[in-house]
Amino acid sequence: MNTTPSGAAREIGVGLISVGWMGKLHSRAYQVLPSVYPELGLKPRLVHAADTAEDRAAYARDVLGYEKASTDYRAVLDDPDVEVVSICAPNMLHHEIGIAAAKAGKPFWIEKPVGRGAEETAEVAAAARVAGVVTSIGYNYRHAPAVERARQLVAEGRLGRITNVRATFFSGYASEPKGALSWRFKRELAGHGALGDLMSHVVDLVSYVVAPIREVSALTSTVYTERPILPMGSGTHFAVIEDGEMAQVENDDYTAALVRFHGDAVGTLEASRTIVGPQCGIGFEIYGTDGSLTWNFERMNELRVALDRSGPHQGYTTVLGNGHMGDYASFQPGPGNSMGYDDLKVIEAKKFLAAVAGIEHHNSTIDDAHAVAEVISAAAASAESGAWEPVPDVAGATFGHQARS
Ligand SMILES: NC(=O)c1ccc[n+]([C@@H]2O[C@H](COP(=O)([O-])OP(=O)(O)OC[C@H]3O[C@@H](n4cnc5c(N)ncnc54)[C@H](O)[C@@H]3O)[C@@H](O)[C@H]2O)c1
């Protein structure tokens, strides 16, 4: 990391691996970071991007502003000017690239679900531990100011003892029967379907706000068994292809789980990628002996709170985003101004680079990703066995305020 004379920002050389949806979003987040968080004195410098699709690599150089572009991710990791790396590749590459980044000594911000199952995530975590590199995970929803406020209310005991939790990620990205068969639908490329792609966000969210999960009973189902093929590196997983060649969907469209948290709480979690109606419906309802909370990303700036059991303000009150919630004040000077999805990634970029620079350590880590992956793998095992499955503890995971039982 280049340290410049006092008062000047410290430049951090950034590498990007894969220039799809997330690759572009990470890039925008780095670009915006110095203006949202000037007090950190950090200035990301977009150095080197790679994508096997030549047009996407060229886009990174010519439009996003990276100084260099390659079609081989190794060129990014070998580049001495790259000090940190964003890994935004499809799931089947997380294991190989995550380990390679750790061995190259580069701190990395990697997209969820970090591989195709708990074994792969654990191996990336072990490599990062041995290398001693900072890691951050793409669990963007936990940064929503309303979610941070929910976490604080739970931690302070304002809801009393948490009794039960309902959480969902209902997405419609594959609700069209002719919705494209991207890499997400192939077991070899993605691992699980909705379970890995969407439920991983749900598990992170409830673990972060309430407590880690210790036991799970789950089921999965596939709604559409065939879809038209979308070649890698083209289009998006929201594409609809009317007359394409069909191929088999190899993983789940829907999953549901009953869970027991560490502590007393129990819960139900659901995820679907084929649902009609909800579109990016990730959210939770948290119920305690003294109150309740509810939040959904489709109304990201609203937290619904019930803290009055029987007095004049009983029932839910809606609170809009304000400076008491998470990083809200870094974006807007006054309450009620809506934030958006991109802003969550800016917060994530800030937490990553602040941890790399040793300024603060509020980032999600590879150990969190490993803990989430253990829940996902236990859910997959339960869907097979029909039995409750225990979730192994992961040392070093940072979430959950409530005492482990
Ligand atoms: N945090 C979130 O909310 C969120 C949202 C979407 C995706 N994701 C995650 O981000 C990751 C990427 O998803 P996406 O939607 O951006 O995918 P995408 O399909 O839009 O892009 C993937 C890119 O990877 C490139 N690629 C394929 N093989 C490569 C290789 N060997 N080397 C370099 N690049 C290669 C492709 O050409 C493509 O440009 C996934 O793990 C996904 O689960 C997270």
Side-chain angles (χ1 to χ4, degrees), residues 145-305:
V147 171
E148 292 283 17
R149 179 65 188 148
R151 182 177 199 247
Q152 198 180 352
L153 288 169
V154 171
E156 289 171 0
R158 298 282 296 278
L159 307 191
R161 178 168 52 84
I162 303 302
T163 53
N164 56 301
V165 175
R166 295 173 70 189
T168 57
F169 197 156
F170 283 159
S171 171
Y173 75 72
S175 60
E176 288 278 356
K178 293 282 181 71
L181 187 124
S182 67
W183 57 264
R184 282 176 165 77
F185 298 79
K186 291 293 197 189
R187 193 160 279 281
E188 180 63 23
L189 304 184
H192 305 294
L195 181 56
D197 194 22
L198 304 178
M199 191 66 109
S200 58
H201 275 302
V202 176
V203 170
D204 176 67
L205 205 50
V206 296
S207 303
Y208 185 63
V209 174
V210 181
I213 290 166
R214 63 181 166 87
E215 204 178 4
V216 57
S217 168
L219 59 80
T220 59
S221 72
T222 302
V223 177
Y224 298 107
T225 54
E226 283 196 324
R227 291 180 176 277
I229 297 169
L230 178 77
M232 178 68 86
S234 65
T236 77
H237 58 294
F238 296 91
V240 177
I241 303 171
E242 286 304 336
D243 299 313
E245 184 190 342
M246 303 292 278
Q248 196 74 29
V249 170
E250 295 174 356
N251 52 25
D252 54 287
D253 286 330
Y254 171 83
T255 181
L258 287 173
V259 298
R260 290 196 179 95
F261 294 88
H262 285 274
D264 294 330
V266 294
T268 57
L269 315 179
E270 272 183 287
S272 171
R273 62 187 179 188
T274 53
I275 208 152
V276 176
Q279 294 180 312
C280 196
I282 174 162
F284 51 70
E285 299 167 20
I286 300 171
Y287 298 97
T289 49
D290 294 332
S292 306
L293 284 171
T294 149
W295 175 82
N296 191 296
F297 176 72
E298 289 187 350
R299 303 184 77 89
M300 180 183 121
N301 298 286
E302 299 177 9
L303 180 64
R304 297 180 69 225
V305 187

Side-chain angles (χ1 to χ4, degrees), residues 18 21-22 51 56 91 94 111-112 138 140 183-184 341:
S18 297
W21 181 17
M22 282 303 111
D51 196 297
R56 293 192 172 192
N91 302 352
H94 293 173
E111 273 307 327
K112 40 59 63 180
N140 22 268
W183 57 264
R184 282 176 165 77
Y341 184 62

Side-chain angles (χ1 to χ4, degrees), residues 95-106:
H95 179 252
E96 175 187 321
I97 300 177
I99 291 173
K103 285 190 172 157
K106 314 265 181 183

Side-chain angles (χ1 to χ4, degrees), residues 109-132:
W109 173 15
I110 190 168
E111 273 307 327
K112 40 59 63 180
V114 193
R116 292 165 289 192
E119 223 170 283
E120 289 194 346
T121 321
E123 287 175 12
V124 178
R129 197 174 314 117
V130 168

